[in-house]
Amino acid sequence: MIARIFFSAVVLSGIASPALAVGIQPLRLEITAGAEAPASGKLTVTNSKSEPVRIQIQTGPYRYAFSAYSIPPANPADRQMPSCESWIRLALAEVTLPAGQSADFTFTLDVPEGAFGGAGGEYVAALLVDERPVAASASEEGTGKLTILPRVAIPLYVFIQGKDDLRGQLLSFGVETGPAAGIAKFMLGLGNEGKIHVRPSGTLLVADEQKKIVHRGGLGKTVPIFPRFQERIPIWVPLQPGRYTAVATVDFGGPELMQREIAFEVTLDGHTHE
């Protein structure tokens, strides 16, 4: 009996899973395809076991991950990006790796001409990396023994040259009482008005009435925000009673940073209001 376990490449980033014997780099593929030159990419797989392993790679659909705060477009047809799975041509699909050895899995993209003239700026797919035993032992064959086959899905993003515009918007910034008194819950509303996904970063600064910085922190990492999607990012900050000013700065990767400022108060009973 064979069971396959699926691991998210995001979860595995920088983490060694006890069930996964191989290392994979990179854990995310982003490629810009132009009309003049063929697009290509590479995955490097390393066997960290003390015994050989068999590695198989195949293509698959993109695995979408949305947060509990994601706001999808109203039109269901706009909630998924067009696929480029059929474009992928693997030069090598399987290899047996000796202990401590690495192998490069290269691929090219047969981008159809229609992609350059169409409206889409980004296409998505995944490369599925399976780890299999080199061979089952004679004592294991026919015993019904459960065999776990780890799999990692590596997301692939293909941007069309000249259409990879990146336009994010800081739609809203507010604060309210958090899950408990004395904890302020800041909420950032972000939107993507471009043609490719955005991965915003930024900072949150909170200053008291004397202009002293009492909190300085990052916004953390978000899931990809796809075109026409909105995302709300919650940030919890413990604060003493008093009056404050908060400034949120967001970087969408474009030429300009976006900023919002709010004034608010934490009352003696620990409640927060603007």
Side-chain angles (χ1 to χ4, degrees):
M1 180 184 299
I2 295 175
R4 176 172 286 115
I5 295 181
F6 297 90
F7 296 100
S8 164
V10 176
V11 173
L12 286 175
S13 180
I15 301 175
S17 166
L20 190 70
V22 299
I24 305 170
Q25 288 295 331
L27 290 177
R28 182 174 76 218
L29 290 159
E30 296 185 344
I31 298 172
T32 298
E36 301 301 324
S40 61
K42 179 180 72 173
L43 281 180
T44 299
V45 180
T46 302
N47 178 15
S48 57
K49 270 186 172 181
S50 58
E51 59 190 41
V53 294
R54 186 159 54 101
I55 303 300
Q56 292 180 330
I57 293 186
Q58 58 185 305
T59 63
Y62 179 83
R63 299 174 185 272
Y64 290 88
F66 303 119
S67 78
Y69 297 96
S70 297
I71 303 175
N75 184 357
D78 292 334
R79 296 177 186 177
Q80 291 191 335
M81 301 294 290
S83 173
C84 61
E85 183 180 351
S86 64
W87 303 357
I88 304 170
R89 300 289 179 264
L90 286 162
L92 177 67
E94 180 176 333
V95 69
T96 296
L97 276 179
Q101 297 298 305
S102 299
D104 290 336
F105 289 83
T106 60
F107 62 91
T108 56
L109 298 171
D110 293 337
V111 185
E113 290 187 9
F116 300 108
E122 178 179 6
Y123 296 78
V124 296
L127 293 179
L128 309 179
V129 183
D130 290 335
E131 177 192 326
R132 294 177 173 272
V134 174
S137 66
S139 61
E140 291 176 341
E141 291 181 355
T143 63
K145 182 178 179 180
L146 180 66
T147 301
I148 297 176
L149 300 179
R151 166 177 286 182
V152 177
I154 305 297
L156 170 64
Y157 305 92
V158 178
F159 308 123
I160 301 302
Q161 191 173 52
K163 297 184 178 181
D164 49 347
D165 63 322
L166 201 158
R167 291 182 284 120
Q169 290 292 328
L170 175 49
L171 301 173
S172 62
F173 179 41
V175 64
E176 60 187 34
T177 303
I183 299 178
K185 178 185 179 182
F186 297 89
M187 186 68 77
L188 278 170
L190 309 178
N192 185 356
E193 298 179 354
K195 291 186 176 181
I196 65 174
H197 77 269
V198 295
R199 295 177 180 271
S201 61
T203 58
L204 172 68
L205 299 180
V206 181
D208 61 18
E209 284 188 288
Q210 288 72 45
K211 307 301 181 182
K212 178 184 177 182
I213 301 296
V214 297
H215 173 81
R216 183 195 305 267
L219 303 184
K221 294 182 179 180
T222 72
V223 296
I225 305 177
F226 288 101
R228 299 173 294 275
F229 269 77
Q230 295 181 20
E231 187 73 29
R232 295 176 298 155
I233 300 178
I235 306 168
W236 294 271
V237 179
L239 293 170
Q240 297 297 318
R243 294 182 179 275
Y244 298 91
T245 300
V247 178
T249 304
V250 180
D251 182 1
F252 286 98
E256 297 180 357
L257 299 179
M258 297 188 180
Q259 215 168 54
R260 288 280 185 95
E261 178 178 319
I262 56 172
F264 66 98
E265 179 182 6
V266 179
T267 58
L268 292 175
D269 60 3
H271 286 79
T272 303
H273 63 84
E274 294 185 44

